[in-house]
Amino acid sequence: MVFKSKIKTLAAVGLALSMLSLTVHLLLARYSATKQVVVKSRAHTIISRWDTRGSERDDTPAMLTPNIWSAVRSLKSLRPHAAPRISYPLPSIPNNGYLFSEIVGEFHEIRSSICDLVAIARLLNATLVLPVLREVTDAKGISSKFEGFNYIYNEKHFISSLADDVHIVKKLPNRFILEENHPLMKIPSDSATPEFYLLHVLPKLKKKGAIGLLVSGGGCLQNLLTAELAEYQRLRCRVAFHALRFRREIQDLASKMLQRLQRTGFPYLAIHVGLERDSLAYHGCAELFQDVHTELIQNKRSLMRKGGVLTGQVNVDSEQQWLNGLCPLMPEDVGVLLRALGYKRSTRIFISGAELFGGQRILLGLRSVFQNLEDRTTLSTEEERSDLYGPEEEIPPPPPYAIPIIDEKERLAAWSKAGPRPRPLPPPAGRPKLPHELDGWWGWVGESDTEPEPTIVDTRERGHKLIWQALDYILCVEANAFFPSFDEDKSGHPNFASLVMGHRAYTSAYRRTYRPNRKIASFLLNVREHLYEPGRAWMAAVRNMLVKSIGEDGLIEASNNTKPRSFLSHPLPECLCQLGIERTLNKSLLHIQGPDGRVLFGDEEMCPEWIKDELLQSNNDKLDEEADYTEVSGPSSVGEEPLQSAAEKLEDTLFPEGDEDNDPND
């Protein structure tokens, strides 16, 4: 009996120790848990650990952390000011004639080209006819309710807001309709100088009374103008940021989407993915993808080379292109960078992009680190988007796909000469191809090197994309923070994301607009050491790179690299002004010049008094609201605070307390 009681005692002690050990392990797991995020990249795997101790746990709501949402203190004194600085005569009537045009290009190219055309019309003292948008007129099957310009923009607002700059009409008078007498003059992209128009276009305009321009490539006037022509740069800003207002239906739906995105009361971050087939082909980024997508990009690159769009080789090292910063940051790369910067898993993110090459699966890496991803399809219903398109005719379904008859010997011979590039493998001998192997818009690539002509559905979607991009544009401009994965298009010019960054720099330069250096980012993401746990040095390097990009360093780099290719991507200093309060930055940075003597940063004029008065009035209204609240709730302390001077109020408005965290100049 004694022996049995000892065994029971030992068993009880062992069970107690086991329970104690289990409890300790659970507590350790509870208070020192780490969350692993596995992200597969091109040639390696990054496994990053995010510490989730205490109040920094990832399962808490997105916090209003000052160091990732607060304004950039050193840029708060910059204010938009595109009004003329000198005597500015009204457009004269009669003038030298009519300037009509056709614009070939996508959303960002259309927007830039319209701004150039207004400036040219002012330069030539001509009446501007609303330009024809080929992207709309060539889109078969769209609603006949819209004629072209009014498909995305508000015509009445455009004409009235520029009445003091240029005389604008909707259509060319009937006596000039004959195209034989007025052929379109092709303009050499954005390299045409003002002298070119004065010497070659103006004489023809005066002689014929009307002249037409064919605009492609995203512009028809050089981006950098001399100081004597600064008023034309400010005119570009007035067109882009004030006159080009989207039609009311688009504005209304964008407002609803914005309210739905902000319904939780927390800020949101917008990311422009920038994964478009043409752009990826131009920059040689085929191997960032797999299987059929790589073949589709290579096919497009081959066509670009045959068409003279690019002069490089068809086969390039995509990995090296990515390491050189010439390819987009993939969604999983962006997710790792943002998490390293401090954005929480619950951060609300808006995904922008009319085309997402690779489909939704390409976002799996980003969704693994951020759970609240939204886009236009989740923030609006199909009915709401259909209302924007207007009444459209029903398109009959396409005929069934006919399998081309190809000789088996020719197929095998072609396959043996296809080279190292991956192609969709043919089925085993004796097995016919299944229908699902040929379904989808990319089904042709398994049978032929010739891409089929676009269907009516494809051309209609091209028109719809303009509306999608208009919605994306509004939400990206209004975002609390913006991150572009890529800023170049299919011709190497600044793209949609660049225009968004320029618009944000104009309206609110102090808001967080990241301008990541992709070459540095790819180097950091290609880390080989500390593969499973990046470490403090790696995290500090990522944060330093991104934080600097939102301040003066980012603006200087944009002025040096982006502005010569797109003025609207960086409308500084011509279209902004400086409030009369010293910025909190090194005085040596107040006037930065490039190697060519061009001022890159710090040459803004002082703001006029009316801008300061408006800012003070806004501050006084806020103080009045606080005073009304104090009267209702009672005094918060004994005694009265001394009255602030106007200068002190203005300084408090610009530089509130507690806004210094993570400032790029600290």
Side-chain angles (χ1 to χ4, degrees), residues 496-649:
F496 176 95
S498 295
L499 289 190
V500 170
M501 290 190 284
H503 199 142
R504 291 172 63 89
Y506 173 78
T507 57
S508 48
Y510 53 85
R511 284 195 295 179
R512 291 184 168 255
T513 301
Y514 296 99
R515 302 172 181 86
N517 186 315
R518 290 189 302 277
K519 188 172 183 179
I520 297 177
S522 61
F523 172 78
L524 292 171
L525 290 165
N526 200 40
V527 62
R528 300 293 180 178
E529 298 179 358
H530 307 296
L531 190 61
Y532 294 97
E533 190 167 1
R536 292 180 178 271
W538 186 88
M539 300 281 282
V542 171
R543 291 174 180 174
N544 183 60
M545 183 264 294
L546 292 177
V547 169
K548 280 191 173 182
S549 73
I550 65 175
E552 288 83 358
D553 289 351
L555 291 178
I556 292 171
E557 185 175 353
S559 179
N560 195 33
N561 299 328
T562 307
K563 187 176 181 178
R565 297 178 294 147
S566 173
F567 171 75
L568 295 181
S569 297
H570 189 79
L572 281 73
E574 292 87 349
C575 298
L576 280 84
C577 64
Q578 176 72 250
L579 289 168
I581 291 181
E582 183 179 358
R583 282 181 293 184
T584 58
L585 75 163
N586 192 328
K587 292 184 178 181
S588 63
L589 294 178
L590 291 176
H591 197 80
I592 304 297
Q593 287 185 332
D596 57 353
R598 181 170 59 90
V599 177
L600 302 179
F601 182 77
D603 199 31
E604 297 82 11
E605 300 177 3
M606 288 297 177
C607 291
E609 290 299 324
W610 62 268
I611 292 182
K612 301 178 183 178
D613 293 341
E614 287 184 356
L615 190 61
L616 283 174
Q617 183 61 43
S618 175
N619 186 40
N620 288 333
D621 292 342
K622 292 179 181 178
L623 291 176
D624 291 341
E625 293 177 2
E626 294 175 0
D628 294 339
Y629 175 79
T630 303
E631 290 178 2
V632 174
S633 60
S636 58
S637 60
V638 179
E640 296 182 355
E641 294 290 333
L643 295 176
Q644 287 182 300
S645 65
E648 289 173 337
K649 289 181 180 180

